[in-house]
Coordinates of all heavy atoms in Angstrom, one line a residue:
V16 N -14.1 9.3 -0.4 CA -13.5 9.4 -1.6 C -13.0 10.8 -2.1 O -13.8 11.7 -1.7 CB -14.4 8.7 -2.7 CG1 -13.9 8.9 -4.1 CG2 -14.8 7.4 -2.4
N17 N -11.9 11.0 -2.5 CA -11.4 12.3 -2.9 C -11.3 13.2 -1.8 O -11.5 14.5 -2.0 CB -12.1 12.9 -4.1 CG -12.1 12.1 -5.3 OD1 -10.9 11.5 -5.5 ND2 -13.0 12.0 -6.1
G18 N -11.1 12.6 -0.6 CA -11.1 13.6 0.7 C -9.6 13.9 1.1 O -8.7 13.3 0.4
N19 N -9.6 14.6 2.1 CA -8.2 15.0 2.7 C -8.4 14.8 4.1 O -7.9 15.5 4.9 CB -8.1 16.5 2.3 CG -6.6 16.8 2.7 OD1 -5.7 15.9 2.9 ND2 -6.2 18.1 2.8
R20 N -8.9 13.6 4.5 CA -8.8 13.2 6.0 C -7.7 12.5 6.3 O -6.9 12.0 5.4 CB -10.1 12.4 6.1 CG -11.4 13.1 5.8 CD -12.6 12.1 5.8 NE -12.9 11.7 7.1 CZ -13.9 10.9 7.5 NH1 -14.6 10.3 6.5 NH2 -14.2 10.6 8.8
R21 N -7.3 12.6 7.6 CA -6.1 11.9 8.2 C -6.5 10.9 9.1 O -7.5 11.1 9.9 CB -5.3 13.0 8.8 CG -4.7 13.9 7.8 CD -4.1 15.2 8.5 NE -3.9 16.3 7.6 CZ -2.8 16.5 7.0 NH1 -1.7 16.0 7.4 NH2 -2.6 17.6 6.2
L22 N -5.6 9.8 9.2 CA -5.9 8.7 10.1 C -4.4 8.4 10.6 O -3.7 7.9 10.0 CB -6.4 7.5 9.5 CG -6.5 6.2 10.3 CD1 -7.6 6.4 11.4 CD2 -6.8 5.0 9.5
P23 N -4.3 8.8 12.0 CA -2.9 8.5 12.6 C -2.8 7.0 12.9 O -3.5 6.4 13.7 CB -3.1 9.3 14.0 CG -4.5 9.5 14.2 CD -5.2 9.4 12.9
I24 N -1.8 6.5 12.4 CA -1.4 5.1 12.5 C 0.2 5.0 12.9 O 0.9 5.6 12.1 CB -1.7 4.3 11.3 CG1 -3.1 4.2 10.8 CG2 -1.1 2.9 11.5 CD1 -3.4 3.4 9.6
I25 N 0.4 4.4 14.0 CA 1.8 4.3 14.4 C 2.5 3.2 13.5 O 2.0 2.0 13.6 CB 1.9 3.9 16.0 CG1 1.4 5.0 16.7 CG2 3.4 3.7 16.2 CD1 1.3 4.7 18.1
I26 N 3.6 3.5 12.9 CA 4.3 2.6 12.0 C 5.7 2.7 12.2 O 6.3 3.7 12.9 CB 4.0 2.9 10.5 CG1 4.5 4.3 10.1 CG2 2.6 2.8 10.2 CD1 4.5 4.5 8.6
G27 N 6.5 1.8 11.7 CA 8.0 1.8 12.0 C 8.7 2.6 11.1 O 8.2 3.3 10.1
S28 N 10.0 3.0 11.5 CA 10.7 4.0 10.8 C 11.1 3.6 9.3 O 11.0 4.3 8.5 CB 12.0 4.3 11.6 OG 12.8 3.2 11.6
F29 N 11.2 2.3 9.1 CA 11.5 1.8 7.7 C 10.3 2.1 6.9 O 10.5 2.7 5.8 CB 11.9 0.3 7.8 CG 12.1 -0.2 6.4 CD1 13.2 0.0 5.6 CD2 11.1 -1.0 5.7 CE1 13.3 -0.4 4.4 CE2 11.1 -1.5 4.5 CZ 12.4 -1.2 3.7
E30 N 9.1 1.8 7.3 CA 8.0 1.8 6.5 C 7.6 3.5 6.3 O 7.3 3.9 5.3 CB 6.7 1.1 7.1 CG 6.7 -0.3 7.3 CD 7.6 -0.8 8.3 OE1 8.2 0.0 9.2 OE2 7.8 -2.1 8.4
A31 N 7.9 4.2 7.2 CA 7.7 5.8 7.2 C 8.6 6.3 6.1 O 8.2 7.0 5.3 CB 7.9 6.3 8.5
Q32 N 9.8 5.8 6.2 CA 10.9 6.2 5.3 C 10.4 5.8 3.7 O 10.6 6.6 2.8 CB 12.1 5.6 5.6 CG 13.3 6.2 4.5 CD 14.6 5.5 4.8 OE1 14.7 4.5 5.3 NE2 15.7 6.3 4.4
A33 N 10.0 4.6 3.7 CA 9.6 4.0 2.3 C 8.5 4.8 1.8 O 8.4 5.3 0.6 CB 9.1 2.5 2.4
I34 N 7.5 5.2 2.7 CA 6.4 6.1 2.2 C 6.8 7.5 1.8 O 6.5 8.1 0.8 CB 5.2 6.2 3.2 CG1 4.5 4.7 3.4 CG2 4.2 7.1 2.9 CD1 3.6 4.5 4.7
A35 N 7.7 8.1 2.7 CA 8.1 9.4 2.6 C 9.0 9.6 1.2 O 8.8 10.6 0.5 CB 8.9 10.0 3.7
L36 N 9.9 8.7 1.0 CA 10.6 8.7 -0.1 C 9.9 8.7 -1.3 O 10.1 9.5 -2.4 CB 11.7 7.6 -0.2 CG 12.8 7.6 0.8 CD1 13.5 6.2 0.7 CD2 13.8 8.7 0.6
E37 N 8.8 8.0 -1.4 CA 8.0 7.9 -2.6 C 7.1 9.1 -2.8 O 7.1 9.7 -3.9 CB 7.0 6.6 -2.7 CG 6.3 6.5 -3.9 CD 7.1 6.2 -5.2 OE1 8.2 5.7 -4.9 OE2 6.6 6.6 -6.3
L38 N 6.5 9.6 -1.7 CA 5.8 10.9 -1.8 C 6.6 12.1 -2.1 O 6.3 13.0 -2.8 CB 5.2 11.2 -0.4 CG 4.0 10.3 0.1 CD1 3.6 10.6 1.4 CD2 2.8 10.3 -1.0
E39 N 7.9 12.1 -1.7 CA 8.9 13.2 -2.1 C 9.5 12.9 -3.5 O 10.5 13.7 -3.8 CB 9.8 13.4 -0.9 CG 9.2 13.8 0.3 CD 10.1 13.9 1.5 OE1 11.3 13.9 1.4 OE2 9.5 14.0 2.7
N40 N 9.2 11.9 -4.1 CA 9.8 11.5 -5.4 C 11.3 11.4 -5.4 O 12.1 11.8 -6.3 CB 9.4 12.5 -6.5 CG 9.4 11.9 -7.9 OD1 9.4 10.6 -8.0 ND2 9.7 12.7 -8.8
I41 N 11.9 10.8 -4.2 CA 13.3 10.5 -4.1 C 13.5 9.1 -4.5 O 12.8 8.1 -3.9 CB 13.7 10.8 -2.6 CG1 13.5 12.2 -2.3 CG2 15.3 10.4 -2.5 CD1 13.7 12.6 -0.8
K42 N 14.4 8.8 -5.4 CA 14.7 7.5 -5.8 C 16.1 7.0 -5.3 O 17.1 7.7 -5.6 CB 14.8 7.4 -7.4 CG 13.4 7.8 -7.9 CD 12.3 7.0 -7.7 CE 11.1 7.3 -8.3 NZ 9.8 6.8 -7.7
P43 N 16.1 6.0 -4.4 CA 17.4 5.6 -3.8 C 18.1 4.9 -5.0 O 17.5 4.4 -5.9 CB 16.9 4.6 -2.7 CG 15.5 4.2 -3.1 CD 14.9 5.3 -3.8
P44 N 19.5 4.8 -4.7 CA 20.3 4.1 -5.8 C 19.9 2.7 -6.1 O 20.1 2.2 -7.1 CB 21.8 4.2 -5.2 CG 21.6 4.5 -3.8 CD 20.3 5.2 -3.6
R45 N 19.4 2.0 -5.0 CA 19.0 0.5 -5.3 C 17.5 0.4 -4.8 O 16.9 1.2 -4.0 CB 19.8 -0.4 -4.4 CG 21.4 -0.4 -4.6 CD 21.7 -0.9 -6.2 NE 21.3 -2.3 -6.0 CZ 20.8 -3.0 -7.0 NH1 20.6 -2.4 -8.2 NH2 20.5 -4.2 -7.0
P46 N 16.7 -0.5 -5.2 CA 15.4 -0.7 -5.0 C 15.1 -1.0 -3.5 O 15.9 -1.8 -3.1 CB 14.8 -1.7 -5.8 CG 16.0 -2.0 -6.9 CD 17.1 -1.4 -6.3
M47 N 14.3 -0.5 -2.9 CA 13.8 -0.7 -1.6 C 12.9 -1.9 -1.6 O 12.4 -2.2 -2.7 CB 13.3 0.4 -0.8 CG 14.4 1.7 -0.6 SD 13.7 3.1 0.3 CE 13.3 2.1 2.0
T48 N 12.6 -2.5 -0.5 CA 11.7 -3.6 -0.5 C 10.3 -3.4 -1.1 O 9.8 -4.2 -2.0 CB 11.4 -3.9 1.0 OG1 12.7 -4.2 1.6 CG2 10.5 -5.2 1.1
H49 N 9.7 -2.2 -0.9 CA 8.5 -1.9 -1.5 C 8.6 -1.7 -3.2 O 7.7 -1.9 -3.9 CB 7.8 -0.8 -0.9 CG 7.4 -1.1 0.6 ND1 8.2 -0.7 1.6 CD2 6.4 -1.7 1.1 CE1 7.8 -1.1 2.7 NE2 6.6 -1.8 2.5
D50 N 9.7 -1.1 -3.5 CA 10.0 -1.0 -4.9 C 10.2 -2.3 -5.5 O 9.7 -2.6 -6.7 CB 11.4 -0.2 -5.1 CG 11.2 1.2 -4.5 OD1 10.2 1.9 -4.7 OD2 12.2 1.6 -4.0
L51 N 10.8 -3.1 -5.0 CA 11.0 -4.6 -5.4 C 9.7 -5.2 -5.5 O 9.4 -5.9 -6.6 CB 11.9 -5.3 -4.5 CG 12.0 -6.9 -4.8 CD1 12.7 -7.1 -6.1 CD2 12.9 -7.6 -3.8
L52 N 8.9 -5.1 -4.5 CA 7.5 -5.7 -4.7 C 6.7 -5.1 -5.7 O 6.0 -5.9 -6.4 CB 6.7 -5.5 -3.3 CG 5.5 -6.3 -3.0 CD1 5.7 -7.7 -3.4 CD2 4.9 -6.1 -1.6
K53 N 6.8 -3.8 -6.0 CA 6.1 -3.2 -7.1 C 6.5 -3.8 -8.5 O 5.7 -4.2 -9.2 CB 6.3 -1.7 -7.0 CG 5.6 -1.1 -8.3 CD 5.8 0.5 -8.4 CE 5.2 1.0 -9.8 NZ 5.6 2.4 -9.9
N54 N 7.8 -4.0 -8.5 CA 8.4 -4.5 -9.9 C 8.0 -5.9 -9.9 O 7.6 -6.4 -11.0 CB 9.9 -4.4 -9.8 CG 10.4 -3.0 -9.9 OD1 9.7 -2.0 -10.2 ND2 11.6 -2.8 -9.4
L55 N 7.9 -6.7 -8.9 CA 7.4 -8.2 -8.9 C 6.0 -8.2 -9.4 O 5.6 -8.9 -10.2 CB 7.6 -8.8 -7.6 CG 7.1 -10.3 -7.5 CD1 7.9 -11.1 -8.3 CD2 7.3 -10.7 -6.0
V56 N 5.1 -7.3 -8.7 CA 3.6 -7.3 -9.1 C 3.4 -6.9 -10.6 O 2.7 -7.6 -11.2 CB 3.0 -6.3 -8.2 CG1 1.5 -6.0 -8.7 CG2 3.0 -6.9 -6.8
L57 N 4.2 -5.9 -11.0 CA 4.2 -5.6 -12.3 C 4.6 -6.6 -13.4 O 4.1 -6.8 -14.6 CB 5.0 -4.2 -12.6 CG 4.3 -3.0 -12.0 CD1 5.4 -1.9 -12.3 CD2 3.0 -2.7 -12.6
S58 N 5.6 -7.4 -13.0 CA 6.1 -8.5 -13.8 C 5.1 -9.6 -14.2 O 5.2 -10.3 -15.1 CB 7.5 -9.0 -13.3 OG 7.2 -9.9 -12.2
F59 N 4.1 -9.6 -13.2 CA 3.1 -10.5 -13.5 C 1.8 -10.0 -14.2 O 0.7 -10.3 -14.0 CB 2.7 -11.3 -12.1 CG 3.7 -12.3 -11.7 CD1 4.6 -11.9 -10.5 CD2 3.8 -13.5 -12.2 CE1 5.5 -12.7 -10.2 CE2 4.8 -14.4 -11.8 CZ 5.7 -14.0 -10.8
N60 N 2.0 -8.7 -14.8 CA 0.8 -8.0 -15.3 C -0.3 -7.7 -14.4 O -1.3 -8.0 -14.8 CB 0.4 -8.8 -16.7 CG 1.5 -9.0 -17.7 OD1 2.2 -7.9 -17.9 ND2 1.5 -10.0 -18.4
T61 N 0.1 -7.4 -13.2 CA -0.8 -7.1 -12.1 C -0.5 -5.8 -11.6 O 0.5 -5.2 -11.8 CB -0.6 -8.3 -11.0 OG1 -0.7 -9.5 -11.6 CG2 -1.7 -8.1 -9.8
E62 N -1.7 -5.2 -11.1 CA -1.5 -3.8 -10.5 C -2.3 -3.8 -9.2 O -3.1 -4.6 -8.9 CB -1.9 -2.7 -11.4 CG -3.4 -2.8 -11.7 CD -3.7 -1.5 -12.4 OE1 -3.5 -1.7 -13.8 OE2 -4.3 -0.6 -12.0
V63 N -1.9 -2.8 -8.3 CA -2.6 -2.6 -7.1 C -3.8 -1.7 -7.5 O -3.6 -0.5 -7.8 CB -1.8 -2.0 -5.9 CG1 -2.5 -1.5 -4.7 CG2 -0.7 -2.9 -5.5
K64 N -5.0 -2.2 -7.3 CA -6.1 -1.4 -7.6 C -6.4 -0.4 -6.6 O -6.7 0.8 -6.9 CB -7.3 -2.4 -7.8 CG -8.5 -1.7 -8.5 CD -8.2 -1.6 -9.9 CE -9.5 -1.1 -10.6 NZ -9.2 -0.6 -12.0
F65 N -6.5 -0.9 -5.3 CA -6.7 0.0 -4.2 C -6.3 -0.7 -2.9 O -6.1 -1.9 -3.0 CB -8.2 0.5 -4.0 CG -9.2 -0.4 -3.9 CD1 -9.5 -1.0 -2.7 CD2 -9.8 -1.1 -4.9 CE1 -10.5 -1.9 -2.5 CE2 -10.8 -2.0 -4.8 CZ -11.1 -2.5 -3.5
I66 N -6.1 0.1 -1.9 CA -6.0 -0.6 -0.5 C -7.2 -0.2 0.4 O -7.8 0.9 0.1 CB -4.6 -0.4 0.1 CG1 -4.6 1.2 0.6 CG2 -3.5 -0.7 -0.8 CD1 -3.7 1.3 1.9
F67 N -7.4 -1.0 1.3 CA -8.6 -0.7 2.2 C -8.1 -1.1 3.7 O -7.9 -2.1 4.0 CB -9.7 -1.7 1.9 CG -11.0 -1.4 2.6 CD1 -11.5 -0.1 2.8 CD2 -11.8 -2.5 3.0 CE1 -12.7 -0.1 3.5 CE2 -12.8 -2.4 3.8 CZ -13.3 -1.2 4.0
V68 N -8.0 0.0 4.5 CA -7.8 -0.1 6.0 C -9.1 -0.5 6.5 O -10.1 0.4 6.6 CB -7.1 1.1 6.6 CG1 -6.9 0.9 8.0 CG2 -5.9 1.4 5.9
N69 N -9.3 -1.7 6.9 CA -10.6 -2.2 7.1 C -11.0 -2.6 8.6 O -12.2 -2.9 8.9 CB -11.0 -3.4 6.2 CG -10.0 -4.5 6.4 OD1 -8.9 -4.4 7.0 ND2 -10.5 -5.7 6.1
E70 N -10.0 -2.6 9.5 CA -10.4 -3.1 10.8 C -9.3 -2.4 11.8 O -8.2 -2.1 11.5 CB -10.3 -4.6 10.9 CG -10.8 -5.1 12.2 CD -10.5 -6.6 12.2 OE1 -10.6 -7.3 11.1 OE2 -10.7 -7.2 13.2
L71 N -9.9 -2.2 13.0 CA -9.2 -1.8 14.3 C -9.5 -2.8 15.3 O -10.6 -2.8 15.6 CB -9.3 -0.4 14.6 CG -8.6 0.2 15.9 CD1 -7.2 0.1 15.8 CD2 -9.1 1.5 16.2
S72 N -8.6 -3.6 15.7 CA -8.9 -4.6 16.8 C -7.8 -4.6 17.8 O -6.5 -4.7 17.6 CB -8.9 -6.0 16.1 OG -9.1 -7.0 17.1
E73 N -8.1 -4.3 19.0 CA -7.2 -4.2 20.2 C -6.1 -3.4 19.9 O -4.9 -3.5 20.2 CB -6.7 -5.7 20.5 CG -8.0 -6.5 21.0 CD -7.5 -7.9 21.4 OE1 -6.3 -8.2 21.7 OE2 -8.3 -8.7 21.5
G74 N -6.2 -2.2 19.2 CA -5.3 -1.3 19.1 C -4.4 -1.4 17.8 O -3.5 -0.8 17.5
T75 N -4.8 -2.5 17.0 CA -4.0 -2.7 15.7 C -4.9 -2.6 14.6 O -5.9 -3.1 14.5 CB -3.5 -4.3 15.9 OG1 -2.7 -4.4 17.0 CG2 -2.7 -4.7 14.6
F76 N -4.3 -1.8 13.6 CA -5.0 -1.6 12.4 C -4.7 -2.7 11.4 O -3.6 -3.4 11.4 CB -4.6 -0.3 11.7 CG -5.2 0.9 12.3 CD1 -4.5 1.6 13.2 CD2 -6.5 1.4 12.0 CE1 -5.1 2.7 13.9 CE2 -6.9 2.4 12.5 CZ -6.3 3.2 13.4
Y77 N -5.7 -3.2 10.5 CA -5.5 -4.2 9.5 C -5.9 -3.6 8.2 O -6.7 -2.7 8.1 CB -6.5 -5.3 9.9 CG -6.1 -6.1 11.1 CD1 -6.5 -5.6 12.4 CD2 -5.3 -7.3 11.0 CE1 -6.2 -6.3 13.6 CE2 -5.0 -7.9 12.2 CZ -5.3 -7.3 13.4 OH -5.0 -8.1 14.6
A78 N -5.4 -4.2 7.1 CA -5.6 -3.6 5.7 C -5.6 -4.8 4.8 O -5.1 -5.9 5.1 CB -4.6 -2.6 5.3
Q79 N -6.2 -4.5 3.7 CA -6.3 -5.3 2.5 C -5.7 -4.7 1.3 O -6.0 -3.4 1.1 CB -7.7 -5.8 2.2 CG -8.5 -6.6 3.3 CD -7.9 -8.0 3.3 OE1 -7.6 -8.7 2.4 NE2 -7.6 -8.4 4.6
V80 N -4.8 -5.4 0.5 CA -4.3 -4.8 -0.7 C -5.2 -5.6 -1.8 O -5.2 -6.8 -1.8 CB -2.8 -5.1 -1.0 CG1 -2.4 -4.5 -2.3 CG2 -2.0 -4.5 0.2
V81 N -5.8 -4.8 -2.7 CA -6.6 -5.4 -3.8 C -5.8 -5.2 -5.0 O -5.6 -4.2 -5.5 CB -8.0 -4.7 -3.7 CG1 -8.8 -5.3 -4.9 CG2 -8.7 -4.9 -2.4
F82 N -5.6 -6.4 -5.7 CA -4.7 -6.5 -6.9 C -5.8 -6.7 -8.0 O -6.7 -7.5 -7.7 CB -3.8 -7.6 -6.8 CG -2.7 -7.4 -5.7 CD1 -2.7 -7.9 -4.5 CD2 -1.5 -6.8 -6.1 CE1 -1.8 -7.7 -3.5 CE2 -0.5 -6.7 -5.1 CZ -0.6 -7.1 -3.8
E83 N -5.4 -6.3 -9.2 CA -6.2 -6.6 -10.3 C -5.3 -7.3 -11.4 O -4.2 -6.7 -11.8 CB -6.9 -5.5 -11.0 CG -7.8 -5.8 -12.1 CD -8.5 -4.6 -12.7 OE1 -8.1 -3.5 -12.6 OE2 -9.6 -4.9 -13.3
R84 N -5.7 -8.5 -11.9 CA -5.0 -9.2 -13.0 C -6.1 -9.8 -13.8 O -6.9 -10.6 -13.4 CB -4.0 -10.2 -12.5 CG -3.4 -10.9 -13.5 CD -2.2 -11.8 -13.1 NE -1.5 -12.4 -14.1 CZ -0.9 -13.5 -14.1 NH1 -1.1 -14.4 -13.1 NH2 -0.2 -14.0 -15.2
D85 N -6.0 -9.5 -15.1 CA -6.9 -10.0 -16.2 C -8.3 -9.8 -15.8 O -9.2 -10.8 -15.9 CB -6.6 -11.5 -16.4 CG -5.2 -11.8 -17.0 OD1 -4.6 -10.8 -17.7 OD2 -4.6 -12.8 -16.6
G86 N -8.7 -8.7 -15.1 CA -10.1 -8.4 -14.8 C -10.5 -9.0 -13.5 O -11.7 -8.8 -13.1
E87 N -9.6 -9.7 -12.8 CA -10.1 -10.4 -11.6 C -9.4 -9.7 -10.4 O -8.2 -9.3 -10.5 CB -9.6 -11.9 -11.6 CG -10.4 -12.8 -12.5 CD -10.0 -14.3 -12.3 OE1 -10.0 -14.7 -11.1 OE2 -9.8 -14.9 -13.2
L88 N -10.1 -9.6 -9.3 CA -9.6 -8.9 -8.2 C -9.2 -10.0 -7.1 O -9.8 -11.0 -6.9 CB -10.6 -8.0 -7.5 CG -11.2 -6.8 -8.4 CD1 -12.1 -6.0 -7.5 CD2 -10.0 -6.1 -8.8
V89 N -7.9 -9.8 -6.6 CA -7.4 -10.7 -5.5 C -7.1 -9.8 -4.2 O -6.4 -8.6 -4.5 CB -6.3 -11.4 -5.9 CG1 -5.6 -12.2 -4.8 CG2 -6.5 -12.2 -7.2
E90 N -7.5 -10.2 -3.1 CA -7.3 -9.4 -1.9 C -6.2 -10.2 -1.1 O -6.4 -11.3 -0.8 CB -8.6 -9.3 -1.1 CG -9.7 -8.4 -1.7 CD -10.8 -8.2 -0.8 OE1 -10.8 -8.4 0.5 OE2 -11.9 -7.9 -1.3
L91 N -5.3 -9.4 -0.5 CA -4.3 -10.0 0.4 C -4.2 -9.1 1.6 O -4.3 -8.0 1.6 CB -2.8 -10.0 -0.2 CG -2.7 -10.9 -1.4 CD1 -1.3 -10.8 -2.0 CD2 -3.0 -12.3 -1.0
D92 N -4.1 -9.8 2.8 CA -4.0 -9.1 4.1 C -2.7 -8.4 4.2 O -1.6 -9.1 3.7 CB -4.2 -10.3 5.1 CG -4.1 -9.7 6.6 OD1 -4.7 -8.6 6.8 OD2 -3.5 -10.2 7.5
A93 N -2.6 -7.4 4.8 CA -1.2 -6.6 4.9 C -1.4 -5.7 6.1 O -2.4 -5.3 6.6 CB -1.1 -5.8 3.6
R94 N -0.1 -5.3 6.5 CA -0.1 -4.2 7.5 C -0.4 -2.9 6.8 O 0.0 -2.7 5.6 CB 1.3 -4.1 8.1 CG 1.8 -5.4 8.8 CD 3.1 -5.2 9.4 NE 4.1 -4.9 8.5 CZ 5.4 -4.4 8.8 NH1 5.6 -4.4 10.1 NH2 6.2 -4.1 7.8
P95 N -1.1 -2.0 7.5 CA -1.5 -0.8 6.8 C -0.3 0.0 6.2 O -0.3 0.6 5.1 CB -2.2 0.0 7.8 CG -2.8 -1.1 8.7 CD -1.9 -2.2 8.7
S96 N 0.8 0.0 7.0 CA 2.0 0.6 6.5 C 2.6 0.1 5.1 O 2.9 0.8 4.3 CB 3.2 0.6 7.6 OG 3.4 -0.7 7.9
D97 N 2.6 -1.2 5.1 CA 3.1 -1.9 3.8 C 2.0 -1.6 2.6 O 2.5 -1.4 1.5 CB 3.3 -3.4 4.0 CG 4.4 -3.6 4.9 OD1 5.4 -2.8 4.9 OD2 4.4 -4.7 5.7
A98 N 0.7 -1.7 3.1 CA -0.2 -1.4 2.0 C -0.2 0.0 1.5 O -0.3 0.3 0.3 CB -1.6 -1.7 2.6
I99 N 0.0 0.9 2.4 CA 0.1 2.4 2.0 C 1.4 2.6 1.1 O 1.4 3.3 0.2 CB 0.1 3.3 3.2 CG1 -1.3 3.2 3.7 CG2 0.4 4.7 2.8 CD1 -1.4 3.9 5.2
A100 N 2.5 1.9 1.6 CA 3.7 2.2 0.7 C 3.6 1.6 -0.6 O 4.1 2.1 -1.6 CB 4.9 1.4 1.4
L101 N 2.8 0.5 -0.8 CA 2.5 -0.1 -2.2 C 1.5 1.0 -2.9 O 1.8 1.2 -4.1 CB 2.0 -1.4 -2.1 CG 2.8 -2.5 -1.9 CD1 2.1 -3.8 -1.7 CD2 3.9 -2.5 -3.1
A102 N 0.5 1.5 -2.2 CA -0.5 2.3 -2.9 C 0.1 3.5 -3.4 O -0.2 4.0 -4.5 CB -1.5 2.6 -1.9
V103 N 1.1 4.2 -2.6 CA 1.7 5.3 -3.2 C 2.6 5.1 -4.3 O 2.8 6.0 -5.2 CB 2.5 6.2 -2.0 CG1 1.5 6.6 -1.0 CG2 3.6 5.4 -1.5
R104 N 3.2 3.9 -4.5 CA 4.0 3.6 -5.6 C 3.2 3.3 -6.8 O 3.6 3.6 -7.9 CB 4.8 2.4 -5.2 CG 6.0 2.8 -4.4 CD 6.8 1.6 -3.7 NE 8.1 2.1 -3.1 CZ 8.1 2.7 -2.0 NH1 7.0 3.1 -1.3 NH2 9.2 3.1 -1.5
F105 N 1.9 2.8 -6.6 CA 1.1 2.6 -7.7 C 0.1 3.7 -8.1 O -0.5 3.6 -9.0 CB 0.2 1.3 -7.5 CG 1.1 0.0 -7.8 CD1 1.7 -0.7 -6.8 CD2 1.0 -0.5 -9.1 CE1 2.4 -1.8 -7.0 CE2 1.7 -1.8 -9.3 CZ 2.4 -2.3 -8.3
G106 N 0.2 4.7 -7.3 CA -0.9 5.7 -7.5 C -2.3 5.2 -7.2 O -3.2 5.8 -7.8
S107 N -2.4 4.2 -6.4 CA -3.7 3.7 -6.1 C -4.5 4.4 -4.9 O -3.9 5.2 -4.2 CB -3.5 2.3 -5.5 OG -2.8 1.5 -6.6
D108 N -5.8 4.3 -5.1 CA -6.6 4.8 -4.0 C -6.5 4.2 -2.5 O -6.1 2.9 -2.5 CB -8.1 4.7 -4.4 CG -8.5 5.6 -5.6 OD1 -7.8 6.7 -5.7 OD2 -9.4 5.3 -6.2
I109 N -6.7 4.9 -1.5 CA -6.5 4.4 -0.2 C -7.9 4.6 0.5 O -8.3 5.8 0.6 CB -5.4 5.1 0.6 CG1 -4.0 4.9 -0.1 CG2 -5.4 4.7 2.0 CD1 -3.0 5.7 0.5
Y110 N -8.6 3.6 0.9 CA -9.8 3.7 1.6 C -9.7 3.3 2.9 O -8.8 2.4 3.4 CB -10.9 2.8 0.9 CG -11.1 3.1 -0.6 CD1 -10.7 2.4 -1.6 CD2 -11.9 4.4 -1.0 CE1 -10.9 2.6 -2.9 CE2 -12.0 4.7 -2.3 CZ -11.5 3.8 -3.2 OH -11.7 4.2 -4.6
V111 N -10.5 3.8 3.8 CA -10.6 3.4 5.3 C -12.0 3.3 5.7 O -12.9 4.1 5.4 CB -9.9 4.6 6.1 CG1 -10.0 4.1 7.6 CG2 -8.5 4.9 5.7
S112 N -12.3 2.1 6.4 CA -13.6 1.9 7.0 C -14.0 2.9 8.0 O -13.1 3.3 8.7 CB -13.6 0.5 7.4 OG -14.9 0.2 8.0
E113 N -15.1 3.3 8.1 CA -15.6 4.2 9.2 C -15.6 3.7 10.5 O -15.7 2.8 11.0 CB -17.0 4.7 8.9 CG -17.2 5.7 7.7 CD -16.6 7.0 8.0 OE1 -16.6 7.5 9.1 OE2 -16.1 7.6 7.1

């Protein structure tokens, strides 16, 4: 928590661009997929509480996106790259299992 550790994960160029654009505060003229998903989540009065990169199996990382709506938490399985792209858009915490 509140650390500055790094975890190298190989991701696709589209996902890397989606993360980089948000981190650099660059707004494309039209919403990208992760922007659309953020808008969809917000339209249901829901937010991304945090993401959790929780597993490494046979060289593949797995993650959970934890949403909060009306005080209830809902977890969805996601690729870490997509989960991180959402987390940076929501300003959510990113956790990684040891």
